[in-house]
Amino acid sequence: MDPEKYPNGSPPFDHGKTNSDTTDPLELVETREERPECFSSTLQEVLFVLTATMAIAMQAMLAGSVTVTSSFIGRDLNMSTAEITWISSASSLSSGAFLLFFGKLADLFGRKSLFVGSLFLFSVFALVAGFAKSGIALDILNGIMGLMSASGVPPAVGILGNVYEKPSKRKNYAFACFSAGNPLGFIFGTIFGGVATNLFGWRASFWLIAIIFLCTTFIGIWTIPKDFTAKEPVNFETLKRFDILGTVFIIFGIGMFSAALSLGETAPQGWKTGYVLALLIVGLALMIAFVLWDLKFKYPLVPMGIWKDRNFTLCLCILMLGFMAFVPGNFFAALFFQQVWHMSALQVAVHLLPMAVMGIAVNIVAGLILHRVSNKLIMLVAKLSYTGSFLLIAFNKTDSSYWSFYFPSFILLVMGADLEFNVANMYVMSSMPPSQQSIAGGIFQTVSKLCTTLGFGIATAIFTSVQRKPTLAKYWDRTTQPYTATFWFAVACSLLGLALVPFLTLGTQGGKQDKVSPTTTEGDEDKDAPIAEERKAEAEATVAQALPTVG
């Protein structure tokens, strides 16, 4: 029995009721509003949360910087549109493919060293990318930087989840800041990239990223608390539990499938090209094999039982559709500014600035309302904002006004992205026990990265196809049509996500609540059983130990 958890010597117990008299879980959810003991000061706590946020911002900041510098890089290195999109796709692909692997690695062998090492190596390869002499070299280096992002996010999520284990408003604030890393990392990446490129050229944008993450590394060494979770010894028994076969299946499966989607439209014979079909079929087969294997393996890379939780599955599906729209939509909007409106990198950054301002405001609001307002309602507002945003820019033309279409669209877009990310992130992190927090973060980030790559592949194929043969209505001029087509794809993704929201049963998250599963409503206990039953069993064992004392 934990003396800190039950200072009076025994857990709460009602003599008038037995287990069969009530359907409520036995364990009450505790909330902690004070500063975690692992921090010596509030400053250290704040800097730790910001460091964890920078972990999730790694790949997003890189993508944002590339977004405003893509046309300049393309002209300097003589790259096609498809090759330019691969600068971002390469990092998303490698990040998504290896996240689950590094999530398991962090949970087994420790998190802090992996976290700090990832920040440092990301900085090193960003420095090297600034010296790239060819498009292929830059694509490869961005892929390696995506790999460093994949190794940094799971340990950051794991430590954050352990430090703020109990539901509380403090946890809401920390996770709201962490959730802001993805959208705000993208936006500030565009700003920093635009300023650096305008002053010194596109190479300086990579060097600036290197400086930022080198500083973050040194801050992290001081602020990241010691990893106090149990670690596995490096031996043959641990190796057997690592799910090596599942790791191979998912890495090569995601990699091949995503590569096929990105290469299909630009291959010599399009989607009929032999290597494209081979990559597509083998990649899909390996992902299916991964699911079948992990359903039977005793120590799976991903515990498949968690997908029985309806809210967990729906949150990730909604998030998936959001990311398929968000990053590709932003990329082609910025490309429109550069290639159609002929803006400089700095001008593009300035026109994207409303997204950064709105992103900060939305995440502050999210931290204040997650425990007060129904998260289902918040998710509904997010998806409506997403849909409205892409509908606006889908009707934009070459001679349209930025203030009439893009400005309100960017405001709505960030509102949708940040609210959706906060709700989904909080629920996913609450669905796994402390020992599996890093793999929970890996699942979450894998879904987002894979869908970003998938969205880029589909959007690039649409762009290339319409650019070759414009077929849209006469409302749109020929130059605008390829961009418009990608925005309509984003609208379709948003509408699909919106259609899933009514099936959610989310309540509030992070406040003082009586039940273990705060987001489960009456009648849905069976669907959310894997998590609730595990915690209920732990509670029953604790009560059983306390019976001699109570009786």
Side-chain angles (χ1 to χ4, degrees), residues 411-472:
I411 297 296
L412 291 173
L413 181 59
V414 173
M415 183 185 300
D418 285 9
L419 289 177
E420 176 182 282
F421 196 89
N422 269 279
V423 172
N425 187 49
M426 180 65 77
Y427 189 82
V428 170
M429 294 309 300
S430 300
S431 299
M432 300 284 271
S435 63
Q436 293 182 318
Q437 288 291 299
S438 291
I439 198 65
I443 294 171
F444 187 80
Q445 293 299 319
T446 295
V447 168
S448 64
K449 304 304 180 188
L450 175 59
C451 292
T452 296
T453 305
L454 180 62
F456 257 122
I458 297 174
T460 302
I462 292 172
F463 182 92
T464 305
S465 176
V466 176
Q467 191 177 46
R468 288 174 180 169
K469 188 178 179 181
T471 56
L472 300 185

Side-chain angles (χ1 to χ4, degrees), residues 518-542:
T519 54
T520 303
T521 58
E522 185 176 356
D524 291 310
E525 288 81 5
D526 291 339
K527 296 181 180 64
D528 300 330
I531 300 154
E533 286 301 320
E534 179 181 349
R535 296 178 181 175
K536 184 173 179 178
E538 294 173 357
E540 288 172 344
T542 306

Side-chain angles (χ1 to χ4, degrees), residues 64-88:
S65 181
V66 169
T67 294
V68 297
T69 60
S70 56
S71 64
F72 303 96
I73 295 173
R75 282 198 294 268
D76 188 32
L77 300 181
N78 195 27
M79 301 170 71
S80 66
T81 300
E83 290 171 332
I84 292 172
T85 59
W86 257 104
I87 303 175
S88 290

Side-chain angles (χ1 to χ4, degrees), residues 319-332:
L319 184 80
M320 171 187 74
L321 291 165
F323 268 92
M324 285 181 67
F326 180 78
V327 179
N330 268 285
F331 178 87
F332 283 103

Side-chain angles (χ1 to χ4, degrees), residues 23-363:
T23 58
D24 290 338
L26 295 173
E27 184 180 11
L28 299 180
V29 173
E30 299 179 40
T31 60
R32 288 185 179 177
E33 302 300 339
E34 70 273 11
R35 186 179 71 235
E37 295 178 358
C38 57
F39 300 118
S40 59
S41 65
T42 302
L43 175 62
Q44 184 185 8
E45 180 186 8
V46 170
L47 289 176
F48 160 69
V49 174
L50 290 176
T51 302
T53 301
M54 291 302 289
I56 199 174
M58 275 194 278
Q59 199 272 329
M61 188 173 289
L62 176 62
S65 181
V66 169
T67 294
V68 297
T69 60
S70 56
S71 64
F72 303 96
I73 295 173
R75 282 198 294 268
D76 188 32
L77 300 181
N78 195 27
M79 301 170 71
S80 66
T81 300
E83 290 171 332
I84 292 172
T85 59
W86 257 104
I87 303 175
S88 290
S89 296
S91 59
S92 295
L93 174 58
S94 59
S95 179
F98 282 88
L99 270 163
L100 291 176
F101 167 76
F102 283 113
K104 189 69 170 180
L105 197 71
D107 280 336
L108 286 176
F109 303 118
R111 295 163 179 159
K112 183 173 181 177
S113 57
L114 183 60
F115 185 9
V116 173
S118 300
L119 291 171
F120 177 72
L121 289 175
F122 186 86
S123 174
V124 170
F125 283 105
L127 178 66
V128 175
F131 293 99
K133 299 298 184 182
S134 68
I136 294 177
L138 189 60
D139 286 344
I140 292 172
L141 286 167
N142 273 262
I144 296 173
M145 291 170 71
L147 191 65
M148 296 304 101
S149 173
S151 66
V153 172
V157 174
I159 296 174
L160 195 66
N162 273 316
V163 169
Y164 300 100
E165 182 181 350
K166 301 296 181 181
S168 65
K169 288 185 286 186
R170 199 180 194 95
K171 178 176 181 177
N172 282 2
Y173 300 150
F175 272 83
C177 181
F178 179 77
S179 298
N182 225 325
L184 288 186
F186 183 87
I187 301 309
F188 281 107
T190 64
I191 296 170
F192 295 151
V195 172
T197 301
N198 193 69
L199 294 176
F200 305 106
W202 67 265
R203 297 180 187 276
S205 64
F206 287 95
W207 297 333
L208 180 58
I209 289 175
I211 294 171
I212 291 171
F213 281 94
L214 183 63
C215 294
T216 304
T217 301
F218 289 116
I219 294 172
I221 292 172
W222 172 57
T223 61
I224 300 171
K226 184 178 180 181
D227 188 8
F228 47 81
T229 54
K231 301 177 183 63
E232 297 287 343
V234 182
N235 54 34
F236 181 71
E237 186 62 29
T238 303
L239 192 63
K240 286 197 303 182
R241 296 175 55 188
F242 195 75
D243 193 8
I244 295 176
L245 189 58
T247 301
V248 171
F249 282 159
I250 196 63
I251 288 175
F252 285 97
I254 291 176
M256 291 181 178
F257 186 75
S258 301
L261 291 173
S262 299
L263 295 171
E265 189 63 31
T266 57
Q269 295 178 330
W271 293 98
K272 296 180 180 179
T273 306
Y275 64 81
V276 173
L277 287 174
L279 287 171
L280 191 67
I281 295 171
V282 175
L284 185 60
L286 287 174
M287 287 192 288
I288 294 172
F290 167 75
V291 174
L292 295 175
W293 170 256
D294 269 19
L295 281 170
K296 295 183 178 181
F297 190 57
K298 188 176 181 181
Y299 306 105
L301 189 64
V302 176
M304 292 298 168
I306 200 169
W307 299 101
K308 296 178 182 178
D309 181 341
R310 183 173 71 183
N311 285 328
F312 182 92
T313 303
L314 285 173
C315 278
L316 284 184
C317 287
I318 292 170
L319 184 80
M320 171 187 74
L321 291 165
F323 268 92
M324 285 181 67
F326 180 78
V327 179
N330 268 285
F331 178 87
F332 283 103
L335 196 64
F336 180 86
F337 289 164
Q338 296 169 68
Q339 294 190 343
V340 180
W341 284 354
H342 305 293
M343 292 183 182
S344 67
L346 182 59
Q347 287 177 313
V348 174
V350 170
H351 282 76
L352 295 176
L353 186 60
M355 298 175 72
V357 177
M358 189 64 182
I360 294 172
V362 170
N363 278 280

